[in-house]
Amino acid sequence: MNSVYIQIIINILLTIISNLLLFFINKYFLQVFNIELLGLMKLFTQILAYLKILESGLVTASNFAFYRVLAQKDNVKLNILFSSIRFIYRNIFILILTLGTLMAPFLSFFIKENIPNHNIYIYWILYIIGATIPYLYSHFTILMAADQRIIIVKYVHFIISILTFFLQIFIIFKTKSFFAFIFIIIITEILKYYIFKYINSKYYSYIKIVKERDYSILQKLKKLVFHKLSDLIIQNTDLVLISRFISLNVVGIYASYLMINNIIITFLETITYILRPRIGKNISKNDNLYNYQKYQELNIFFLYIGTCLTLSSFYLINDFVKLWIGDLYLLDKIVIILMHINIMIYISKMILEIFKEGYGFFDDIHLSFLEALIKLSFSLVLIKYVGLKGVVIGTLISNILIVCTARPITIYSICFKKNIFDYLKNYLQYLLIIIISVLINHNTLTKFIISKSIINSWYEWFLNAVIITIIVAVNTTLIFLINYQFRKKITEVKTKIKF
């Protein structure tokens, strides 16, 4: 079996187990604390994302730089680059820690109600410390990822996540201390630092820390920051807006659904982590025609997996939430539909973004600004009239106009040297296949499964999940086989993954 295929399977298994641990943590967290405190934790995460804009795009730019130096096998350049990235990240650590601490008195601005707990300021500072420690070992993990050793990084994160899980469960039930719950994160992140430091000393003992610096990656970073700023607003403003204009309770409920939906994204990202360095290296070795064909094959395959997972999630998610945390925390069906459409659109851009990065194309800055502006403008207006639905609709509008239209047209033209008609041919075909898949699966499931199923236990939910997933997979496979690139990729996967 091909080593890439093995790595993908291992990554998927690690992701599934890690996410199961998170579900248990959330469940027990709600049992001991409350939905308001859970919402506060989720709000912290999104506020922190704004501070992290200071390092936006640095991982991508650093990976891109490492690809070339590692391929050239130039140890002198490698020493300089490694030392430079280490220096940059240490300064980012200091800067974000300082800004985060100074931001503490202003937390009340993000919360509509009165501050639920005056210890919130201590919680925030501890949270910032735990969240910034990874910057002290980022240069290690980026180097390993660029050198196609991402699986080792995954192993370390996985093992530490299990340790964190058991320590936090113990804390939740024995001490019932939110302070101790956050402090565990700080301890385990420090442990990661020493583990990654040791691993790098074993694999890269020839790399030396030097005084000379190479800041050329910061030139590329200027363009990447605007792309990451767009991602920040698209991915990390929902909970802030909900907290500011609705309530922390709704933040907790919405974040719980996001947590489930993010499994789909994380599942596919575990595959992209393995593919990204290989795609980056192969793009430089082949012509545009070959790269475009590979993009088409990988893209339709991702759309297929995404369609299966998204449809299955839509029909299973409410019963899951009901069994997981209770009927009081269910969302409106329209919100759930809109959320799943946004997930599908997010999946549709994953492979295209990897190829864009592989080509080193980051000049579509104006589209990033426009995407952010559309998302924020519509969300701010609509949340006042239709509440939570308005936030999700704002994301959907920006997705349709930029993610599905303007950006792919630009990338097709600049990277693949294809025109708007090639884009329309591909995307209309993708859209048609997905719509047919949705309609056929909906008709089948509502007629034979959904109307007859009443879920009262995890056993019943699991049995229902297996049946729905199989039906969706069979129907979707038959429909996607219409596409030539999909048939070609299926044949390739049966033997090995070449790209």
Side-chain angles (χ1 to χ4, degrees):
M1 186 181 291
N2 188 272
S3 62
V4 178
Y5 190 53
I6 293 171
Q7 285 189 40
I8 289 173
I9 292 174
I10 292 171
N11 266 277
I12 289 169
L13 290 174
L14 296 181
T15 301
I16 291 171
I17 297 170
S18 297
N19 278 286
L20 283 174
L21 297 181
L22 288 176
F23 282 117
F24 280 116
I25 285 289
N26 265 37
K27 181 179 178 64
Y28 296 137
F29 190 98
L30 278 177
Q31 286 180 8
V32 175
F33 301 116
N34 54 55
I35 191 70
E36 198 174 56
L37 203 52
L38 178 64
L40 185 65
M41 277 288 290
K42 303 300 181 182
L43 178 63
F44 280 177
T45 303
Q46 293 216 333
I47 295 174
L48 177 66
Y50 286 92
L51 294 176
K52 286 190 172 184
I53 191 63
L54 294 169
E55 55 96 22
S56 290
L58 184 55
V59 172
T60 303
S62 300
N63 269 318
F64 188 75
F66 270 132
Y67 292 154
R68 296 188 178 280
V69 175
L70 288 168
Q72 294 167 358
K73 297 182 179 179
D74 187 331
N75 287 347
V76 174
K77 288 184 179 179
L78 184 58
N79 288 339
I80 295 170
L81 182 61
F82 183 81
S83 301
S84 302
I85 293 172
R86 174 178 176 268
F87 177 78
I88 292 169
Y89 268 110
R90 292 199 168 195
N91 280 280
I92 289 172
F93 164 78
I94 295 168
L95 190 56
I96 293 181
L97 187 60
T98 303
L99 290 176
T101 304
L102 294 173
M103 190 179 177
F106 305 99
L107 289 176
S108 58
F109 171 78
F110 298 98
I111 303 171
K112 184 180 181 181
E113 310 102 323
N114 293 326
I115 294 292
N117 188 326
H118 291 293
N119 288 328
I120 183 176
Y121 305 108
I122 300 173
Y123 298 155
W124 167 251
I125 291 171
L126 288 175
Y127 186 81
I128 285 289
I129 294 170
T132 52
I133 290 173
Y135 292 128
L136 297 177
Y137 60 73
S138 290
H139 56 296
F140 296 139
T141 56
I142 291 171
L143 172 61
M144 294 171 74
D147 201 26
Q148 298 185 30
R149 288 195 167 105
I150 187 67
I151 194 67
I152 298 175
V153 178
K154 284 277 185 180
Y155 281 143
V156 173
H157 284 306
F158 174 70
I159 293 168
I160 298 301
S161 70
I162 292 177
L163 174 63
T164 305
F165 168 76
F166 285 111
L167 289 173
Q168 287 183 327
I169 291 295
F170 175 80
I171 290 296
I172 287 173
F173 286 107
K174 291 296 181 182
T175 70
K176 295 180 172 58
S177 167
F178 189 52
F179 170 86
F181 181 86
I182 300 177
F183 194 73
I184 289 297
I185 298 172
I186 297 174
I187 300 300
T188 52
E189 287 299 335
I190 292 172
L191 182 59
K192 280 184 191 177
Y193 167 80
Y194 284 106
I195 292 173
F196 283 123
K197 185 178 181 181
Y198 173 77
I199 292 172
N200 271 258
S201 69
K202 301 295 286 184
Y203 282 106
Y204 306 103
S205 57
Y206 56 89
I207 295 180
K208 308 298 180 186
I209 302 299
V210 296
K211 292 183 178 180
E212 188 176 349
R213 299 284 181 259
D214 176 10
Y215 297 124
S216 60
I217 59 171
L218 296 179
Q219 298 301 316
K220 185 74 72 175
L221 189 61
K222 291 177 183 178
K223 297 175 181 179
L224 280 168
V225 164
F226 295 109
H227 292 283
K228 296 302 178 180
L229 178 61
S230 167
D231 288 340
L232 172 69
I233 293 175
I234 296 300
Q235 304 297 331
N236 295 285
T237 56
D238 288 1
L239 300 188
V240 174
L241 290 174
I242 295 167
S243 173
R244 184 73 181 89
F245 293 101
I246 307 177
S247 71
L248 277 175
N249 283 348
V250 177
V251 170
I253 297 169
Y254 183 68
S256 296
Y257 274 82
L258 285 180
M259 184 178 171
I260 299 169
N261 288 334
N262 283 340
I263 292 179
I264 298 172
I265 303 299
T266 306
F267 174 84
L268 290 171
E269 283 180 344
T270 58
I271 302 175
T272 65
Y273 289 147
I274 305 299
L275 294 178
R276 181 172 275 106
R278 288 169 171 80
I279 290 173
K281 288 184 177 180
N282 278 279
I283 282 174
S284 60
K285 297 177 183 178
N286 298 287
D287 58 26
N288 272 339
L289 178 61
Y290 177 85
N291 292 331
Y292 180 62
Q293 289 171 346
K294 282 297 176 183
Y295 156 72
Q296 287 181 302
E297 292 171 21
L298 283 169
N299 194 47
I300 192 67
F301 192 66
F302 260 62
L303 289 176
Y304 160 73
I305 298 173
T307 302
C308 290
L309 293 175
T310 305
L311 282 173
S312 298
S313 169
F314 173 73
Y315 291 108
L316 294 166
I317 195 166
N318 260 354
D319 286 326
F320 183 91
V321 172
K322 195 185 300 181
L323 293 170
W324 176 36
I325 53 179
D327 332 28
L328 297 174
Y329 307 113
L330 298 179
L331 284 179
D332 182 83
K333 191 171 183 179
I334 295 175
V335 174
I336 297 172
I337 292 172
L338 293 171
M339 288 175 70
H340 282 82
I341 294 173
N342 283 330
I343 291 171
M344 197 63 225
I345 293 174
Y346 185 90
I347 293 168
S348 73
K349 74 172 186 176
M350 291 177 79
I351 293 298
L352 188 62
E353 288 292 325
I354 294 175
F355 273 82
K356 182 175 85 93
E357 290 174 11
Y359 273 98
F361 174 61
F362 306 105
D363 290 331
D364 53 339
I365 298 170
H366 59 291
L367 294 178
S368 297
F369 269 118
L370 193 56
E371 182 179 4
L373 182 63
I374 293 170
K375 153 73 181 177
L376 197 55
S377 300
F378 276 97
S379 295
L380 281 170
V381 172
L382 293 173
I383 195 173
K384 296 178 181 179
Y385 294 98
V386 290
L388 181 58
K389 295 185 188 72
V391 176
V392 192
I393 293 171
T395 302
L396 180 59
I397 292 171
S398 67
N399 276 338
I400 292 171
L401 295 177
I402 306 299
V403 177
C404 295
T405 309
R407 181 163 283 123
I409 289 173
T410 304
I411 297 171
Y412 266 55
S413 173
I414 303 298
C415 298
F416 299 130
K417 309 302 179 186
K418 299 291 180 180
N419 57 40
I420 190 171
F421 298 105
D422 294 307
Y423 154 78
L424 288 172
K425 179 183 175 182
N426 271 356
Y427 272 65
L428 289 176
Q429 186 181 86
Y430 296 153
L431 181 61
L432 181 63
I433 290 173
I434 291 170
I435 289 173
I436 293 171
S437 299
V438 170
L439 293 175
I440 290 177
N441 279 299
H442 181 71
N443 184 61
T444 305
L445 293 172
T446 52
K447 188 174 182 180
F448 299 106
I449 305 296
I450 305 299
S451 59
K452 300 177 182 179
S453 60
I454 300 174
I455 308 300
N456 294 312
S457 68
W458 282 112
Y459 171 77
E460 291 173 347
W461 182 88
F462 182 78
L463 187 62
N464 196 46
V466 171
I467 294 169
I468 287 175
T469 304
I470 290 173
I471 291 172
V472 168
V474 171
N475 285 341
T476 307
T477 303
L478 293 174
I479 296 161
F480 268 71
L481 284 170
I482 297 169
N483 182 274
Y484 167 72
Q485 280 85 18
F486 180 72
R487 295 196 302 271
K488 186 177 178 182
K489 195 64 186 174
I490 287 293
T491 303
E492 184 180 318
V493 169
K494 287 179 182 178
T495 52
K496 63 179 181 177
I497 296 177
K498 294 179 181 178
F499 216 124

